Structure formats: C-alpha cells, structure tokens
Amino acid sequence: MSLSFEHVTLGQRVLFGHGQAGEHLAEEMARLAAGRVMVVAAESETELADRITSGLPVALRWREVRQHVPVDLVERARAAATSHSVDALVSVGGGSTTGLAKAIALTTGLPIVAVPTTYAGSEATNVWGMTEGGVKTTGVDDNVLPASVVYDSALTMSLPAGLTVASGLNALAHCVDSLWAPRADPINRAIALEGARALAHGLPRVVVDAGDVQGRDECLYGAYLAAAAFASAGSGLHHKICHVLGGAFDLPHAETHAVVLPHVLALNEPAVPEAARNLRAALGAGTPDGAAGSPGDGSATASLERLRSSLGAPTALRDFGLQEQDLPDAVERVLPVVPESNPVRVTPERLHRLLRAAWAGETPRSES
C-alpha cells in the first residue's frame, strides 16, 4: 500500500552538551541580540539558574512558579515582563517553568530559550496550557515554541530519583501517545519509537547510578525526541486524561502521567498490533539483554510494566491525593475531550474502569 500523509516539523535550534549550558546560553542571547533578559526559574532552581545566566544581560529574575500554570500567576508575570522592557525569556527548570515562559510569550511574542532540568519535553512543543477555576485549557500557537533549547545533562544530576523516574515516564508517555494521536504519521511514529528506546535504555542506568552521564544524556535525547513526536502528532487519550486530572484535582503532573500511562496502553494495545509490536521492541532496551522486546515475550504493556517495576515507578493516583469519590466527576470531564482518533471506543464504563484501576494501583489489563 502506498503512503499518503501530511507531516509538519517545527523549526527550532537544539544545543546539546554536558556542562555547556552557560556557553550555549550566551551564544543564543547574542544571536537573538537580546539586551534585557527575563530569567524564569523557581526558587529551588535559583542557584543553578544564577550560575548559568551570570554572563547574560538580565533585567528581571522571576522565581514564582506553580504547576499547571495558574492564570493569575501568568498575568502578574506578563505585567512584570512589560514593565521591565524585557526582550527575551530564558526558562531554567521543568515543565511548569517552561509552561510559564510559554504563557508569557503567548501574548507578548517574546522569544524563549529553554533550559530543561527534567525530561518534561514542553520545551520542544508549541503547546501551551493554563489553569483557572479547576479547568486546564491548552492550545497550540507558534509564539510559544522556544526559539532554542539548551540541553545539558549536568543540570539534571541533582534531580531526585523519584522525580527522575516520574519525569522520564512522562516523556515516555509522549512517545506512546504519539503512536495513535490525531496527527500520527510514519515520521512522528518513527521519532516516538526511537525516543522510547532511548528512554527505556537511559532511565534504568540513571536509577542505578545517578552520576551516569551517558545515561543522563540518553534520557535528555529521548525526552527531546518524545516531545518532537508529540508536537507533530498531537495530544492523544493519555494526555487528555492527565490534563483533566491535573487541572481539576491539582495532581502532580509527572507522577500522574507515570501512573496513568500503562492503563491507557493496555486499553489501546489490542487495536494497534503493529504499533504495539514496535513499541515492545523499543521498550526491550530497558532490560539487560533486551528480552522485553524478544518474540513471544507478550505485550507492550507487560514490557512497560517490567520497566516501571525496575524503576520503582509510582502506581496509584490515590497516593497523590485523588479520592475515589472524584472518579465519576473525572469521567464526566474527560469524555468530551476524548480524541476521535483513539483506537478503541471510549465509553463511560471503560473510562471509569481505567481511572479506578489507576486510582487503586491495579495491574493494567486489556479488555480484549
């Protein structure tokens, strides 16, 4: 059968190098001719951000960062950027920090240079998200796509093991969702599978040895590919669920993705056997001998669960504050945003079973 598809690749510079963040940032600020920079970094990242931006023309350092990017915070940050005549943004941190910089850029048009310290992947997409009144709204706008991304694995060395795992699985969720998202095509599927392979190989190395530079490099590389695939393919069922849960119930972003992922994969896997085989092979990189991807080894979901188990990944949403009585409300909120492209029809009953299993920490099971 001949191929027929439309693929969009976003334009962005990527600078990658261990210990080179400061040097690369200076290069990018010079290239952008930036003279008044706003550095967005949470209080916990202050020392790191100050160190790598010490040579920049910083006009404002913004340290208030909150997950899910509340609208009231965005409005104050935008006003500060305007009052300080900022001409460029530098974000140093995880997804919430990048998200705030994107929200500022959405209306100001200011260029962003993103310096990720986790594997969230927001830096490689043109997707923005803000929360107000318990509702998380997302959109797509090229204004929010960072002009450049500076990847430096040295900046991830202090990332706690638990957050390393959750953030890495959040990145892996970008790969999985991209296999059947609304704009999935052969190119972004190939990128997603390479991202999954890199993450499945790098994450166990980092968990065993926090100082493994090659493992950290591989995780950052995988996270970038995951986000690039996601930016092209669009948001699938998994991300719709997690955005609703995060906005409505204030659940932690990375941990929510880490818990929900295997349940969505288990739901969809029977309907996409070829994609599932390819994903199983990619996840095989997470075992010493690659056994998880060998013929006859079972499902991609089982391979993912072996990887998650080896990482000590979180398993239950109730551990992060979701109450069982919240589940019917969650179902009602998710149903209207379920993508038509999802391989399996999502009924209220199926969605409730999926969410309850994720809430309770049950073993993910297919309904086939």
Side-chain angles (χ1 to χ4, degrees):
M1 181 182 298
S2 62
L3 292 177
S4 178
F5 61 88
E6 178 182 341
H7 176 83
V8 176
T9 299
L10 299 178
Q12 182 180 67
R13 281 169 61 87
V14 174
L15 296 93
F16 204 109
H18 183 82
Q20 298 178 55
E23 174 188 344
H24 285 157
L25 266 177
E27 290 175 3
E28 289 308 286
M29 290 300 101
R31 189 178 68 85
L32 293 171
R36 297 186 60 80
V37 176
M38 178 178 182
V39 177
V40 181
E43 286 284 354
S44 59
E45 304 275 19
T46 295
E47 182 180 354
L48 183 155
D50 287 352
R51 172 164 48 85
I52 65 174
T53 62
S54 61
L56 305 185
V58 177
L60 173 63
R61 294 187 182 275
W62 185 272
R63 296 187 173 93
E64 185 183 356
V65 175
R66 285 187 275 157
Q67 68 173 1
H68 307 307
V69 195
V71 167
D72 66 303
L73 171 59
V74 172
E75 290 173 347
R76 284 186 283 109
R78 285 174 179 166
T82 299
S83 67
H84 285 77
S85 301
V86 167
D87 59 8
L89 302 167
V90 171
S91 64
V92 182
S96 297
T97 304
T98 309
L100 177 56
K102 284 180 163 185
I104 297 169
L106 180 63
T107 56
T108 64
L110 291 169
I112 304 170
V113 176
V115 187
T117 60
T118 71
Y119 309 119
S122 176
E123 68 278 358
T125 79
N126 58 354
V127 178
W128 58 266
M130 287 180 273
T131 301
E132 185 173 30
V135 177
K136 186 167 187 177
T137 302
T138 62
V140 175
D141 192 306
D142 286 347
N143 268 351
V144 309
L145 177 71
S148 308
V149 185
V150 172
Y151 287 110
D152 182 345
S153 56
L155 306 184
T156 70
M157 290 295 183
S158 61
L159 194 64
L163 186 53
T164 294
V165 169
S167 182
L169 290 173
N170 178 14
L172 186 57
H174 290 130
C175 299
V176 175
D177 232 14
S178 295
L179 298 178
W180 46 67
R183 300 187 302 276
D185 63 47
I187 295 175
N188 49 46
R189 286 192 186 103
I191 295 170
L193 290 169
E194 171 60 7
R197 184 210 60 76
L199 288 161
H201 190 258
L203 281 170
R205 293 182 59 158
V206 171
V207 168
V208 170
D209 178 6
D212 186 333
V213 173
Q214 187 175 346
R216 298 239 176 220
D217 278 350
E218 197 156 22
C219 287
L220 276 179
Y221 163 69
Y224 168 73
L225 292 177
F230 177 73
S232 172
S235 183
L237 175 64
H238 170 85
H239 280 78
K240 295 299 186 182
I241 290 173
C242 292
H243 286 165
V244 166
L245 294 177
F249 307 105
D250 198 31
L251 301 187
H253 182 81
E255 289 83 353
T256 300
H257 280 272
V259 171
V260 171
L261 175 59
H263 298 279
V264 176
L265 177 57
L267 173 70
N268 284 333
E269 178 171 4
V272 284
E274 181 179 359
R277 283 194 300 272
N278 291 335
L279 178 60
R280 185 183 65 191
L283 294 177
T287 61
D289 58 0
S294 60
D297 183 60
S299 67
T301 303
S303 295
L304 175 60
E305 282 298 271
R306 280 190 289 276
L307 175 63
R308 284 167 36 83
S309 177
S310 74
L311 299 173
T315 58
L317 292 176
R318 63 183 174 188
D319 294 340
F320 301 101
L322 188 68
Q323 304 297 311
E324 187 170 15
Q325 58 265 33
D326 293 330
L327 296 178
D329 183 24
V331 170
E332 290 301 313
R333 290 172 181 264
V334 172
L335 279 173
V337 295
V338 171
E340 292 184 5
S341 66
N342 197 67
V344 173
R345 181 168 172 264
V346 180
T347 63
E349 295 76 20
R350 278 179 169 164
L351 185 55
H352 188 274
R353 284 194 294 271
L354 185 156
L355 289 176
R356 195 189 184 287
W359 171 83
E362 297 173 1
T363 300
R365 299 189 185 281
S366 167
E367 295 195 10
S368 65

